Amino acid sequence: MADKDKLLNPDPGVCVPWEVKLEEIGEFPGNEAIVKKEWEKLDDFAYNFIWFWAQR
Amino acid sequence: MSEKQMLYQKRLERYMTAMDCGKPDMVPVAFGVGEWIAKYTGTTLQEIYYDLDKSNSIVSEMLPGLDFDIFKGGPSLWWPPMFDAMGSKLYKFPGIGVEENSTFQFNEQEYMKPEDYDEFIASPTEWLVNHYLPNISTELENPGSYRSTVALIKGAAAFAMQGGIMAQAYGKWTMDHGIVGQGTGFTKAPFDTLGDALRGMKGVLLDLRRRPEKVLAACEAITPHNVNCGLAGAGADTRFPCFAPLHRGAYPFLNPNQWNNFYWPSLKATIEGLWARGKRMLFYAEGDWTPYLEKIAELPDKSIIFQIDTTDPKKAKAILGGRFCLQGGVPTTLLTYGTPAKVKEHIKRTIDELACDGGFILDAGGVVMGDAKQENVIAMIEAAREYGAY
């Protein structure tokens, strides 16, 4: 199984945890907090889109 | 502060006071523009559902003549183009699937199979992406294909577009007319999440007999997600309740034993989880919940607004009143089959019985249907103002 196919079992509000992405990025020369904040905002949007279809 | 800003503040105060079981200057009135508006505006339901600008402009034209406090939304519950982009099987919408002036129909199926329980419970969000979305969407039948990828792009874009358009419309209505939106966030009872869209009514009722432990485990797995959905994001406005339409919990879908064991525990946990984060639920108790009022009274004080549809209003007042705000009290059938005089008479009686010591919001009991008469809906608002001063 490729790494990206591993079961993540993300928490509520999360699709791909930042920690998983960070590990894939490896070296982080810039300000991690800026990237993390925006990653999590979009991740939350995706989460709401996914659950929208189940909450009908 | 402008006149409309002052009006907004006055209505907001009225709403907040009632939600906290207090007695404002007058009984707050909740109002939504339902599908019934179509026949008075020369538009088809298809136009109202598909064309958000048209739908919102109809609301904008109506609002100046109406004096109410809490706005529950416009005439279309869904925006079909997003469903079309995904090839969604969930609904038949006016003009596509059903006639252009028919209301939408939910196409209930077992989109989740009995053998899917374990994988769903292990990781609900991943199961939804990997299996549920392809099951409910013809465009996603071949994940990874050109059609599937394009459909996901279009679906997510539509989700964002609709959110942006509606946020802008609400902002305008607030600024121009001083109205207060009813809530933020949308959630459900975990049993309803499972029983509505995933397993369907037949599926979940069979599961209660054949695999009850899976139903309980699935409801437990759904609960934290439903808390999150109700919060509507980490920065959500907790002044306003989240909307939770409640379905299979109405009497007599389930017997009392099933209700106690399968429906209530995870719904209670969802409400408690929300309340721990300061978020209240608009407990939209569609149908009759009278037999369950004593159990509902176990909830933390003020953690819900209890919607009275066909629940016995006097019993709801006696058991829940003072600890939870009550909302509703006007049968939707009265708005369809009654007359303005009968509506006014009912409003007077309802206010006398339910609003006497505060903690009450006057509203239609449930979703006002397309065959409601505009004159009755207007009479409801006018009578509420006539009889609603404390």
Side-chain angles (χ1 to χ4, degrees), chain A residues 8-9 47 51 53 55-56, chain B residues 78 126 132 188 225-226:
Chain A
L8 298 172
N9 190 15
Y47 173 89
W51 277 86
W53 298 97
Q55 300 289 25
R56 299 305 90 212
Chain B
W78 320 113
E126 284 174 285
Y132 177 70
K188 289 175 113 174
H225 293 281
N226 282 13

Side-chain angles (χ1 to χ4, degrees), chain B residues 17-88:
Chain B
T17 303
M19 268 199 291
D20 281 336
C21 301
K23 193 191 276 191
D25 62 328
M26 61 175 67
V27 175
V29 183
F31 174 76
V33 181
E35 289 182 353
W36 51 267
I37 197 67
K39 60 182 177 286
Y40 297 99
T41 53
T43 48
T44 64
L45 269 185
Q46 181 178 6
E47 287 175 288
I48 280 177
Y49 268 79
Y50 270 83
D51 188 341
L52 281 179
D53 291 336
K54 178 168 275 189
S55 169
N56 289 340
S57 70
I58 288 171
V59 173
S60 297
E61 283 167 22
M62 277 205 81
L63 290 178
L66 302 174
D67 180 18
F68 64 91
D69 303 292
I70 303 158
F71 188 54
K72 295 166 62 188
S76 53
L77 277 175
W78 320 113
W79 190 41
M82 180 173 71
F83 292 77
D84 296 344
M86 298 279 279
S88 175

Side-chain angles (χ1 to χ4, degrees), chain B residues 23 35 90 93 108 129 135 178 209 258 290 318 322 331 338-339 345:
Chain B
K23 193 191 276 191
E35 289 182 353
L90 292 182
F93 287 109
E108 187 170 304
V129 171
N135 287 350
R209 303 280 178 188
Q258 290 169 330
T290 311
T339 61
E345 185 188 315

Side-chain angles (χ1 to χ4, degrees), chain B residues 77-386:
Chain B
L77 277 175
W78 320 113
W79 190 41
M82 180 173 71
F83 292 77
D84 296 344
M86 298 279 279
S88 175
K89 302 173 190 172
L90 292 182
Y91 292 102
K92 292 181 188 299
F93 287 109
I96 179 165
V98 293
E99 193 268 328
E100 65 179 358
N101 277 312
S102 292
T103 190
F104 68 87
Q105 294 290 314
F106 182 54
N107 180 24
E108 187 170 304
Q109 301 285 332
E110 286 188 26
Y111 296 113
M112 171 179 161
K113 301 295 180 195
E115 56 271 25
D116 293 328
Y117 264 107
D118 288 341
E119 200 177 334
F120 172 76
I121 291 162
S123 184
T125 304
E126 284 174 285
W127 185 85
L128 291 176
V129 171
N130 292 333
H131 303 288
Y132 177 70
L133 290 182
N135 287 350
I136 63 164
S137 317
T138 58
E139 292 289 333
L140 306 188
E141 278 170 357
N142 298 308
S145 66
Y146 173 78
R147 289 285 291 263
S148 171
T149 304
V150 168
L152 272 176
I153 292 167
K154 287 166 67 178
F159 190 62
M161 281 167 64
Q162 184 195 15
I165 291 168
M166 293 314 298
Q168 199 173 20
Y170 267 84
K172 181 175 163 48
W173 295 328
T174 299
M175 292 298 291
D176 292 353
H177 307 293
I179 53 137
V180 180
Q182 168 109 62
T184 58
F186 182 100
T187 193
K188 289 175 113 174
F191 188 90
D192 284 336
T193 304
L194 182 66
D196 286 352
L198 302 182
R199 294 286 293 130
M201 182 69 164
K202 181 184 165 192
V204 82
L205 290 181
L206 284 172
D207 294 342
L208 292 181
R209 303 280 178 188
R210 294 177 180 171
R211 48 193 75 82
E213 74 290 350
K214 301 287 186 194
V215 174
L216 287 175
C219 287
E220 193 178 327
I222 292 168
T223 298
H225 293 281
N226 282 13
V227 171
N228 190 78
C229 289
L231 283 168
D237 190 336
T238 53
R239 291 176 303 166
F240 300 102
C242 61
F243 180 62
L246 302 170
H247 298 154
R248 316 300 192 201
Y251 181 81
F253 271 125
L254 302 174
N255 69 41
N257 188 45
Q258 290 169 330
W259 194 92
N260 281 330
N261 293 323
F262 293 97
Y263 194 87
W264 182 237
S266 52
L267 173 56
K268 186 166 183 263
T270 301
I271 293 166
E272 288 171 343
L274 285 163
W275 191 237
R277 291 158 181 81
K279 187 77 171 175
R280 202 179 323 236
M281 175 189 281
L282 173 53
F283 191 106
Y284 205 75
E286 295 184 273
D288 180 9
W289 292 65
T290 311
Y292 309 124
L293 290 170
E294 298 283 359
K295 293 294 285 186
I296 294 166
E298 293 173 3
L299 290 168
D301 286 5
K302 301 177 185 174
S303 58
I304 60 165
I305 300 173
F306 183 83
Q307 182 84 21
I308 300 171
D309 183 9
T310 59
T311 297
D312 184 321
K314 287 183 183 170
K315 285 186 180 166
K317 175 72 177 171
I319 296 168
L320 302 178
R323 292 184 50 228
F324 304 95
C325 177
L326 305 176
Q327 177 167 326
V330 184
T332 52
T333 47
L334 183 63
L335 299 173
T336 295
Y337 300 110
T339 61
K342 284 185 177 167
V343 170
K344 287 195 170 189
E345 185 188 315
H346 181 86
I347 300 295
K348 184 176 186 312
R349 195 166 59 246
T350 297
I351 287 177
D352 287 345
E353 288 173 2
L354 298 179
C356 47
D357 50 358
F360 179 68
I361 297 166
L362 189 102
D363 183 20
V367 175
V368 180
M369 303 308 287
D371 54 2
K373 296 189 185 101
Q374 182 167 257
E375 61 267 32
N376 290 340
V377 177
I378 303 297
M380 178 182 92
I381 299 173
E382 289 174 352
R385 289 303 193 225
E386 187 178 344

